[in-house]
């Protein structure tokens, strides 16, 4: 099977989206239903009713898992959240852990495997910076190449106790860079089991000003719906101080900011709205990256009121255990099967099964909504908030339908007399790069987006660029009918022909050397600054987006639908990738003000963008394809290419190894840095500290109703209410309102809480309760050039 091209990826996604915005009629009383928008992947794996064997407690751990897996009575998630995608029964966490650790180390295969990853790691743009991070970066340094060599020598000398230890160390090497674009998930580390805890937590401040504390979410729901006592704070987890435990646990996440990482530990409505493509219940409960960390057999919580509660942890079985009798079987059949070396890199091209949650629990009825809940517009029903429009921009993954929802909402809101706009980018891990540009241009059609980027320059990159610049002898070309089909990979967004893109001054490059001198910064080599040429007619066919103000989307009303001081952006820290691009344009070029919510139980400012700020990721399969494209562009140069680093990507002995040993599309690399306008040092934005103008804490009602968050955001931005750190003092109106003082804020806070108690119905509470069982299903996510996978 051929590897998927970026174009095919985009085409595959197109089939899923409808062209028209959907204004879903929503009955707030209906309980949450999950609606998969595509095919069931492996229903055939569900157990048959034949020959059930009772679990033999003396069998080896993988055999016991197999017995449970084959038992027809083994249930998947009680709510059915996982069952439509594939059969995912739960087994005890300890049993899964023992099974993983029962796979013997294959130190013979380890060396060639690890070496096969090197060519892809070369593309990571930030290794020099990670080793010795600039001041402002909030996470520890990471010596990628040093750690890589150390893993390699430990594997060779048999220092790892088993194969899982090796795979987990490798996973952590990528994860500790806290770059959500730099990713590799070996099969044992993430494809066999997804660990979890049967409880999710939330973190909030009891009065909005004192530091947030952790609570069990079901206690919070019970408080709202059944009027039980206020939940008691979790003070200890497994005998350790709860805050310390949770801050440490947070570090297993992908984000680069400690407050953002901390938020991702907890249940969050915005993440839940993304269905199985989000990290709804939080990493503590096993969603997102929490699934890869063994939580121990049990979890013990101690509460402030003196009560202790103990829970059994579980593991979801993510792969078939038919015919597995031991760890060695698991290795042979799943982890490293002997495959025919004649097949080229193959990427699982399963239909995408995006599970959306409909209606979104904790959200009001939308004015307009995209079918995957990726973007939606809302008005607030609370008296006094009639002039507010809220754009919940939860993802940037999208094509026409996405763009139409945003455009139509902004148009409708203006027409309806809404003068102020809250843009909520909570849970937004990015998506289609040009959707970020498009939304900015929708709001500020008169500003040319800056968007400076650069690539790391290395031998393979340079040879591909030199070849493409020579052999693709004119630009733009006819995308649907190019002289050679591989040209498509070089049009509308990749940097390899100098004729595409524009330079730092928005002018054409004059040669490949002009585009890739290379330049040295921080002890490494990089291209010149590259910007998107928004007039490039290949952008639309290659990316599925025609940005506003260009091509046939010129002269569209309304121009500047909101003034900059009437827009505010709300962050939960998760914003990454295309969201980071959007944020940079909004704050640096339009001067939009920002609010961050949540974070650690510590005073002080919180950053806005806590996810990766690199501006482009490439799946490793795409890099592999670029290399084979290069051979196809210049067949006469094959002998030369074979003598260079290009050969390592096509070497028939090893070229498929990186893909065979890991989850589909799990190999990703950050290829582009984002660079701030005027920064002569060209420090990647990934390492630049950016506090929000205002920080807020969550309060209890904000964990059950997102409109409580939006009301508070409006109050601190335009109505004189205070932030826990920072704040706004620009307008006169604001200062007058501030004079009303804290007593008004207190009354409002009481009213917000009371209203949510009154409005909480049993069915709403049930929908919220059930959504805690959502887990992250990587099969439900279409990888995109500007998306941080969870
Ligand atoms: C929703 O619930 C409320 C209160 O229980 C009830 O009055 C109303 O009729 C219900 N609406 C629908 C559409 O079922
Ligand atoms: C499955 O459940 C049925 C009904 O409860 C029971 O009769 C049967 O023995 C169970 N089978 C196994 C293998 O546990
Ligand atoms: C509220 O009480 C009812 C009846 O006891 C119970 O079934 C339900 O689970 C409770 N809801 C929550 C969220 O605790
Ligand atoms: C203590 O708090 C926990 C968590 O809110 C609750 O489940 C438990 O019932 C409380 N215990 C008592 C004795 O009130
Ligand atoms: C591209 O080629 C196709 C097939 O020859 C043709 O139908 C189409 O009009 C061309 N597009 C452009 C923009 O020239
Ligand atoms: C810039 O490059 C494009 C693509 O090669 C070309 O069509 C265009 O004429 C050039 N523009 C200028 C101003 O040189
Ligand atoms: C950008 O692309 C358009 C369309 O190919 C071209 O006309 C233009 O010259 C390019 N460069 C600049 C600087 O706009
Ligand atoms: C950067 O490029 C120069 C010139 O090609 C080369 O000598 C040097 O080794 C490169 N540095 C790195 C870190 O690759
Ligand atoms: C622009 O062109 C595309 C493709 O031809 C078409 O689908 C779209 O409707 C057009 N958009 C506008 C605003 O005319
Ligand atoms: C380049 O390497 C490939 C893979 O080993 C081989 O099939 C091909 O013949 C080589 N080409 C040349 C011209 O050496």
């Amino acid at each position: 099977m051929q590897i998927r091209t970026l174009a095919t990826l985009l085409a595959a996604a197109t089939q899923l989206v409808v062209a028209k915005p959907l204004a879903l009629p929503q009955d707030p009383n209906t309980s949450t239903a999950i609606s998969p928008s595509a095919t069931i992947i492996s229903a055939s794996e569900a157990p048959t009713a034949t020959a059930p064997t009772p679990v033999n407690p003396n069998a080896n751990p993988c055999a016991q898992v197999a017995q449970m897996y084959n038992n027809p009575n083994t249930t998947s998630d009680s709510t059915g959240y996982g069952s439509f995608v594939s059969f995912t029964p739960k087994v005890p966490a300890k049993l899964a852990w023992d099974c993983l650790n029962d796979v013997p180390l294959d130190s013979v295969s380890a060396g060639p495997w690890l070496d096969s990853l090197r060519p892809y790691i070369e593309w990571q743009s930030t290794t020099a910076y990670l080793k010795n991070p600039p001041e402002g970066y909030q996470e520890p340094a990471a010596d990628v190449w040093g750690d890589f060599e150390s893993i390699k020598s430990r594997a060779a000398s048999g220092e790892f106790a088993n194969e899982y230890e090796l795979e987990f160390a490798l996973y952590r090497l990528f994860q500790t860079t806290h770059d959500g674009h730099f990713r590799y998930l070996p099969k044992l580390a993430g494809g066999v089991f997804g660990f979890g805890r049967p409880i999710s937590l939330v973190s909030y401040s009891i009065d909005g000003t004192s530091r947030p504390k952790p609570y069990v979410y079901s206690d919070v729901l019970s408080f709202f719906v059944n009027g039980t006592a206020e939940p008691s704070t979790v003070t200890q987890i497994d005998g350790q101080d709860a805050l310390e435990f949770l801050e440490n646990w947070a570090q297993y996440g992908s984000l680069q900011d400690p407050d953002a990482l901390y938020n991702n530990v907890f249940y969050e409505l915005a993440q839940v709205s993304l269905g199985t493509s989000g990290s709804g219940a939080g990493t503590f409960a096993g969603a997102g990256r929490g699934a890869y960390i063994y939580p121990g057999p049990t979890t013990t919580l101690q509460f402030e009121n003196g009560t202790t509660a103990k829970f059994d942890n579980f593991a979801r079985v993510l792969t078939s255990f038919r015919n597995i009798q031991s760890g060695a079987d698991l290795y042979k059949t799943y982890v490293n099967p002997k495959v025919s070396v004649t097949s080229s890199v193959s990427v699982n091209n399963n239909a995408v099964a995006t599970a959306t949650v409909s209606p979104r629990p904790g959200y009001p009825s939308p004015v307009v909504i995209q079918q995957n809940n990726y973007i939606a517009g809302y008005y607030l029903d609370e008296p006094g908030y009639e002039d507010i429009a809220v754009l919940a921009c939860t993802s940037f993954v999208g094509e026409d339908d996405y763009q139409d929802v945003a455009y139509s909402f902004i148009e409708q809101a203006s027409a309806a007399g809404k003068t102020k706009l809250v843009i909520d980018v909570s849970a937004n891990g990015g998506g289609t790069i040009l959707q970020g540009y498009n939304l900015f241009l929708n709001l500020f059609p008169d500003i040319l987006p800056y968007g400076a980027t650069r690539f790391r320059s290395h031998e393979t990159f340079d040879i591909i660029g030199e070849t493409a610049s020579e052999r693709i002898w004119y630009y733009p070309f006819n995308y649907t009918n190019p002289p050679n089909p591989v040209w498509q990979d070089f049009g509308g967004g990749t940097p390899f022909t100098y004729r595409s893109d524009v330079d730092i001054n928005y002018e054409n490059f004059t040669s490949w050397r002009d585009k890739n001198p290379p330049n040295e910064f921080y002890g490494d080599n990089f291209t010149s600054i590259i910007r998107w040429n928004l007039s490039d007619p290949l952008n639309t066919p290659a990316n599925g987006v025609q940005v506003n103000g260009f091509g046939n989307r010129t002269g569209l009303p309304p121009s500047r639908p909101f003034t900059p001081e009437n827009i505010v952006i709300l962050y939960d820290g998760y914003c990454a990738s295309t969201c980071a691009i959007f944020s940079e344009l909004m704050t640096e070029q339009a001067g939009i003000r920002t609010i961050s919510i949540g974070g650690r139980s510590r005073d002080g400012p919180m950053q806005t963008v806590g996810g990766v700020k690199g501006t482009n990721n490439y799946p490793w399969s795409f890099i592999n394809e670029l290399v084979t494209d290069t051979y196809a562009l210049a067949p006469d140069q094959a002998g030369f290419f074979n003598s260079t680093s290009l050969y390592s990507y096509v070497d028939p002995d090893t070229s498929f190894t990186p893909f065979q040993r890991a989850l589909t599309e799990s190999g990703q690399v950050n290829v582009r840095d984002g660079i701030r306008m005027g920064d002569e040092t060209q420090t990647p934005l990934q390492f630049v500290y950016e506090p929000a103008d205002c920080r807020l804490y969550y309060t209890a009602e904000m964990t059950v109703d997102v409109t409580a968050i939006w009301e508070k955001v409006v109050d601190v931005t335009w109505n004189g209410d205070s932030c826990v750190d920072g704040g706004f003092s620009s307008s006169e109106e604001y200062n007058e309102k501030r004079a009303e003082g804290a007593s008004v804020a207190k009354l409002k806070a009481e009213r917000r809480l009371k209203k949510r108690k009154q409005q909480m119905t049993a069915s709403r509470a049930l929908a919220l309760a059930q959504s805690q069982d959502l887990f992250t299903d990587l099969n439900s996510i279409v990888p995109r050039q500007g998306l941080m996978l969870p």
Side-chain angles (χ1 to χ4, degrees):
M1 200 206 284
Q2 274 303 303
I3 59 169
R4 262 196 293 190
T5 64
L6 207 56
T8 341
L9 286 179
L10 297 173
T14 317
Q15 294 157 8
L16 287 177
V17 295
V18 289
K20 291 282 163 287
L22 296 170
L24 293 181
Q26 297 210 353
D27 170 11
N29 294 7
T30 49
S31 69
T32 297
I34 199 147
S35 44
S37 58
T39 48
I40 288 164
I41 291 177
S42 53
S44 61
E45 279 299 337
T48 56
T50 54
T53 358
V55 176
N56 172 3
N58 300 320
N60 77 54
C62 293
Q64 286 187 54
V65 172
Q67 284 158 10
M68 292 180 183
Y69 188 86
N70 291 322
N71 184 333
N73 289 0
T74 303
T75 51
S76 195
D77 304 272
S78 53
T79 54
Y81 273 105
S83 56
F84 61 90
V85 178
S86 54
F87 179 62
T88 52
K90 288 176 180 172
V91 300
K94 174 74 164 55
L95 186 62
W97 173 248
D98 289 343
C99 170
L100 289 174
N101 283 284
D102 199 31
V103 180
L105 178 68
D106 181 353
S107 50
V108 177
S109 295
W113 173 30
L114 291 168
D115 283 336
S116 76
L117 311 180
R118 285 180 197 275
Y120 298 97
I121 300 175
E122 286 287 350
W123 290 73
Q124 176 64 26
S125 62
T126 55
T127 45
Y129 292 83
L130 281 163
K131 191 171 175 181
N132 174 27
E135 199 183 322
Y137 183 63
Q138 301 295 298
E139 288 294 321
D143 179 2
V144 171
W145 286 112
D147 291 351
F148 181 84
E149 297 305 342
S150 144
I151 290 175
K152 209 189 153 203
S153 68
R154 280 153 69 203
S157 64
E159 265 178 64
F160 292 106
N162 55 53
E163 189 71 13
Y164 174 75
E165 266 194 14
L166 160 65
E167 294 204 2
F168 186 71
L170 189 56
Y171 166 71
R172 285 279 282 160
L173 160 67
F174 286 81
Q175 185 266 318
T176 51
T177 63
H178 291 281
D179 178 332
H181 281 164
F182 188 51
R183 196 169 173 286
Y184 188 63
L185 195 50
K187 283 180 173 172
L188 277 181
V192 182
F193 298 110
F195 291 109
R197 296 184 173 92
I199 21 160
S200 41
L201 303 180
V202 285
S203 169
Y204 62 81
S205 162
I206 46 161
D207 54 8
T209 53
S210 52
R211 290 181 193 165
K213 297 278 166 50
Y215 300 91
V216 172
Y217 191 50
S218 54
D219 287 349
V220 177
L221 290 176
S222 172
F223 166 76
F224 276 95
V225 70
N226 286 341
T228 52
E230 283 194 32
S232 182
T233 307
V234 179
T235 52
Q236 290 197 351
I237 302 175
D238 292 340
Q240 193 185 349
D241 173 72
L243 298 181
E244 193 182 305
F245 181 100
L246 294 168
E247 282 193 19
N248 292 341
W249 180 265
Q251 286 297 319
Y252 287 115
S254 68
L255 313 171
Q256 41 77 15
D257 173 72
D259 291 306
L261 283 161
Y262 193 76
N263 276 351
N264 201 220
V265 168
F266 303 99
Y267 175 96
E268 190 195 11
L269 295 173
Q271 291 283 3
V272 163
S273 77
L274 291 171
T276 52
S277 68
S279 57
T283 63
F284 183 79
R289 300 246 176 158
Y292 313 136
I293 309 302
Y294 176 51
T298 58
T299 301
T300 304
L301 302 183
Q302 174 141 14
F303 298 97
E304 199 169 31
N305 65 10
T307 305
T308 301
K310 190 171 172 181
F311 304 86
D312 290 325
N313 299 329
F314 62 85
R316 291 187 172 89
V317 185
L318 304 176
T319 191
S320 172
F321 263 71
R322 293 215 168 157
N323 308 319
I324 302 293
Q325 292 304 320
S326 64
D329 280 354
L330 189 61
Y331 187 73
K332 270 192 312 236
T333 60
Y334 174 68
V335 179
N336 192 13
K338 295 273 170 288
V339 294
S340 154
V341 291
T342 54
S343 75
S344 74
V345 176
S346 93
V347 167
N348 184 347
N349 215 348
N350 275 332
V352 181
T354 303
T356 53
V357 184
S358 173
R360 310 162 106 178
Y363 278 73
S365 293
V367 177
V368 55
I369 190 165
Q370 188 270 352
Q371 63 160 354
N372 303 108
N373 294 342
Y374 288 164
I375 190 161
Y378 300 90
Y379 301 149
L380 296 175
D381 66 1
E382 180 70 18
Y385 298 78
E386 291 86 358
D387 57 345
I388 306 296
V390 180
L391 186 65
C393 177
T394 320
S395 172
F396 275 109
V397 171
E399 301 197 347
D400 300 11
D401 67 325
Y402 181 99
Q403 184 169 19
D404 289 348
V405 167
Y407 184 76
S408 129
F409 177 65
I410 289 169
E411 212 180 19
Q412 286 182 52
S414 293
K418 310 292 173 186
T419 54
K420 300 189 173 82
L421 179 68
V422 175
I423 303 176
D424 182 353
V425 295
S426 295
N428 191 325
T432 311
I433 294 169
L434 290 178
Q435 292 291 7
Y437 282 80
N438 184 63
L439 186 56
F440 173 75
L441 285 163
N442 211 160
L443 296 164
F444 296 99
D446 55 317
I447 302 180
L448 178 67
Y450 180 63
T453 71
R454 68 171 197 203
F455 287 74
R456 172 163 194 269
S457 176
H458 49 96
E459 190 189 36
T460 304
F461 180 89
D462 193 48
I463 293 173
I464 296 174
E466 214 165 66
T467 309
S469 292
E470 183 193 306
R471 300 298 169 109
I472 297 174
W473 63 93
Y474 65 96
Y475 195 95
F477 49 83
N478 185 326
Y479 190 83
T480 49
N481 186 28
N484 179 339
V486 306
W487 283 32
Q488 288 191 340
D489 284 341
F490 299 97
T494 52
F496 302 100
T497 153
Y498 80 84
R499 294 179 179 86
S500 69
D501 303 311
V502 288
D503 69 9
I504 190 167
N505 300 314
Y506 212 79
E507 283 163 11
N508 282 350
F509 289 102
T510 57
S511 65
W512 175 248
R513 275 299 149 245
D514 184 25
K515 202 170 189 180
N516 181 35
N519 299 317
E520 200 179 319
F521 285 96
Y522 225 74
D524 206 352
N525 290 324
F526 300 94
T527 62
S528 302
I529 293 289
I530 295 172
R531 296 169 64 187
W532 284 73
N533 180 352
L534 296 170
S535 304
D536 183 346
L538 301 194
N539 287 343
T540 303
N543 300 279
V545 186
Q546 173 59 63
V547 299
N548 287 317
F550 294 83
N552 67 358
R553 288 183 74 93
T554 48
L556 301 175
S559 65
R560 284 217 181 189
F562 300 91
T563 60
E565 61 279 8
N566 278 348
I567 302 177
V568 70
I569 309 179
L570 169 69
Y571 303 75
D572 66 352
Y574 197 81
C575 178
S577 195
T578 297
C579 182
I581 297 174
F582 173 70
S583 177
E584 178 74 4
L585 300 176
M586 291 291 282
T587 55
E588 287 294 306
Q589 288 191 264
I592 300 305
R593 296 174 296 171
T594 56
I595 297 178
S596 288
I597 188 161
R600 290 168 296 174
S601 187
R602 301 176 181 208
D603 297 336
M606 175 172 161
Q607 293 203 81
T608 51
V609 180
V612 56
K613 297 195 223 172
T615 57
N616 207 172
N617 56 303
Y618 283 173
W620 293 8
S621 58
F622 182 62
I623 291 175
N624 188 281
E625 182 171 295
L626 286 169
V627 172
T628 55
D629 286 350
T630 304
Y631 277 84
L633 283 176
D636 53 305
Q637 296 296 306
F640 164 66
F641 294 155
N642 280 357
S643 72
T644 70
S645 54
L646 264 66
Y647 188 71
S648 54
Y649 300 83
V650 298
D651 182 342
D653 292 336
T654 54
S655 63
F656 58 91
T657 313
F659 305 92
Q660 186 205 341
R661 295 296 308 267
L663 267 69
T664 302
E665 297 293 358
S666 79
Q668 302 268 332
V669 70
N670 185 71
V671 290
R672 278 197 216 227
D673 295 323
I675 308 290
R676 178 152 299 166
M677 193 188 286
D679 179 4
E680 307 259 311
T681 69
Q682 291 195 15
T683 303
L685 285 168
Q686 174 78 353
F687 301 93
V688 175
Y689 182 78
E690 289 178 88
D693 297 318
C694 159
R695 179 183 179 189
L696 296 176
Y697 291 146
Y698 289 106
T699 51
E701 70 279 9
M702 296 179 186
T703 70
V704 300
D705 183 353
V706 71
T707 64
I709 302 176
W710 298 337
E711 286 172 18
K712 179 74 179 180
V713 163
V714 169
D715 287 346
V716 296
T717 311
W718 296 294
N719 295 337
D721 199 347
S722 303
C723 304
V724 295
D725 189 273
F728 307 114
S729 58
S730 52
S731 81
E732 234 173 77
E733 185 192 18
Y734 175 96
N735 282 326
E736 269 170 35
K737 285 182 176 168
R738 167 162 276 182
E740 291 171 13
S743 59
V744 176
K746 192 159 174 271
L747 284 176
K748 279 188 173 176
E750 284 165 9
R751 196 179 63 207
R752 269 200 307 272
L753 179 74
K754 197 168 149 214
K755 178 175 166 186
R756 273 68 194 188
K757 287 189 81 167
Q758 282 164 353
Q759 290 184 343
M760 182 62 71
T761 60
S763 60
R764 282 185 184 192
L766 184 66
L768 291 163
Q770 288 183 337
S771 69
Q772 293 177 86
D773 218 8
L774 267 174
F775 69 104
T776 308
D777 183 354
L778 294 174
N779 285 316
S780 72
I781 303 167
V782 188
R784 287 300 173 109
Q785 358 92 311
L787 175 67
M788 173 182 72
L789 290 167

